[in-house]
Amino acid sequence: MAFRRDPLDELVVPDGTEAKEVALETDGDVLVGARSTVEFGVRGRNVLAGESVEFGGDIEAEADCRLDMWCDVADNVLVGQDAYIGERVHIGGEMKVAGDLDIGDDVEIDEGFEANGWIVIRNPMPTIVFLFVYLKQLLLIGEEDAAQRLVSQLVDDEDEDEDAEPTPDPLIVPRNATVSDDAWRVSTPATIGDGCRLHGNIRAESIDVGEDCNVFGSLRAREDVSVGEGTRIHGDLTTRSGDVVVEPGARILGDVSCHDLELGPGAEVDGSIRADGEITMRTTERDLE
């Protein structure tokens, strides 16, 4: 049985994610690995953060919010269901929880908190550790259905029928990452879904950008980079030793530097091209053969 990548070892930006002036907004969950810095606020369904994560704005969770110990939130935390807050967390604004609040020792909330349900003051970390570790093991052994059932149970999802819409993919920020309006810096691969609108230069091991995106910044990777159909990159595209594929109708509003370059029909590069290897310009999709 093939083993899978650790779910927190890749930057994953799901379809339709937008980086607005003050927040990252997505329809699904937000998972942030330990010791990462997100200089935006975040808005999503469930928001879960590992140890020592810093948020530069508000957290707005439609369902649950789970913050591990030593997290720091610059502004408010608004939670639609339950909140689990670890030891020594600091919240710079106020905290409002529609459900239950499970809170650890030495938590600082500058402007106070309120919860409509039970308030339990203790160390809730075993719940968060269980979520991350058990989920990781299920994914490693390929038990994706079991992992989905576990997530549904932990966030108190209602029973889904066959006609229900599928759960949106989560936004995943790996460990030790920095996400800001200036740059998204990770030491892992980065996958960006379709229809995203992002601000900032993206730095990663490899980068795969989906269709019809707008990235207001440059792309830089050590390995391969692919740009989906109809996407606009408002900056340079550089890879240290990898190849670049620009799909039909995509446009790079800057320079491209790579080993091999493949341009689909109607793809455009506004700046200069520096390729150590071959440059291939496809006229039809059959040229891929």
Side-chain angles (χ1 to χ4, degrees):
M1 180 180 293
F3 282 77
R4 300 173 184 271
R5 180 184 292 274
D6 184 330
L8 286 174
D9 276 352
E10 182 176 6
L11 172 65
V12 179
V13 182
D15 296 351
T17 299
E18 292 191 44
K20 296 188 175 179
E21 289 185 6
V22 296
L24 278 174
E25 296 188 3
T26 185
D27 293 332
D29 298 341
V30 179
L31 307 178
V32 184
R35 297 173 297 281
S36 291
T37 299
V38 180
E39 296 185 10
F40 301 98
V42 296
R43 296 171 185 165
R45 189 170 183 275
N46 297 286
V47 178
L48 301 93
E51 264 184 38
S52 303
V53 173
E54 296 183 12
F55 293 92
D58 296 331
I59 291 177
E60 296 184 24
E62 294 179 12
D64 289 357
C65 178
R66 301 170 186 261
L67 303 180
D68 207 331
M69 60 178 69
W70 296 305
C71 285
D72 191 289
V73 182
D75 294 313
N76 303 316
V77 177
L78 308 176
V79 184
Q81 294 183 13
D82 301 331
Y84 304 82
I85 308 301
E87 294 181 327
R88 298 178 177 83
V89 168
H90 172 253
I91 297 172
E94 63 179 342
M95 183 170 191
K96 293 185 177 181
V97 181
D100 298 336
L101 173 59
D102 197 341
I103 192 168
D105 295 332
D106 299 323
V107 172
E108 296 182 14
I109 304 175
D110 291 354
E111 299 182 15
F113 66 90
E114 61 181 74
N116 292 335
W118 291 96
I119 299 176
V120 179
I121 300 176
R122 61 181 176 82
N123 182 4
M125 291 317 302
T127 303
I128 300 178
V129 171
F130 175 77
L131 174 67
F132 280 104
V133 174
Y134 191 34
L135 261 181
K136 173 182 175 181
Q137 294 305 315
L138 288 174
L139 292 170
L140 284 173
I141 63 175
E143 294 289 345
E144 294 182 352
D145 292 340
Q148 182 60 54
R149 288 195 298 271
L150 172 63
V151 171
S152 298
Q153 293 168 4
L154 287 171
V155 299
D156 295 325
D157 280 348
E158 297 179 355
D159 291 336
E160 296 183 355
D161 56 43
E162 293 182 357
D163 297 329
E165 294 184 3
T167 303
D169 292 333
L171 169 64
I172 300 176
V173 178
R175 302 172 185 87
N176 304 304
T178 299
V179 176
S180 72
D181 193 52
D182 177 64
W184 298 49
R185 300 181 186 277
V186 300
S187 58
T188 67
T191 301
I192 299 169
D194 300 336
C196 295
R197 183 181 179 87
L198 306 179
H199 291 263
N201 303 308
I202 298 175
R203 307 288 184 258
E205 179 182 337
S206 61
I207 303 173
D208 182 0
V209 184
E211 299 179 359
D212 299 316
C213 294
N214 263 297
V215 178
F216 295 91
S218 62
L219 306 182
R220 181 180 297 173
R222 291 190 296 273
E223 299 179 5
D224 295 346
V225 178
S226 63
V227 178
E229 187 172 346
T231 285
R232 298 290 183 268
I233 306 298
H234 299 257
D236 298 334
L237 192 164
T238 305
T239 173
R240 184 180 302 174
S241 58
D243 300 334
V244 169
V245 176
V246 182
E247 295 292 351
R251 184 176 179 184
I252 313 299
L253 286 83
D255 301 336
V256 173
S257 179
C258 59
H259 185 260
D260 290 342
L261 172 63
E262 184 177 293
L263 298 172
E268 299 180 37
V269 176
D270 286 10
S272 61
I273 295 175
R274 295 183 293 276
D276 296 333
E278 298 181 348
I279 299 177
T280 303
M281 302 182 68
R282 305 196 317 259
T283 56
T284 67
E285 291 302 312
R286 292 189 177 277
D287 290 346
L288 278 171
E289 301 293 330

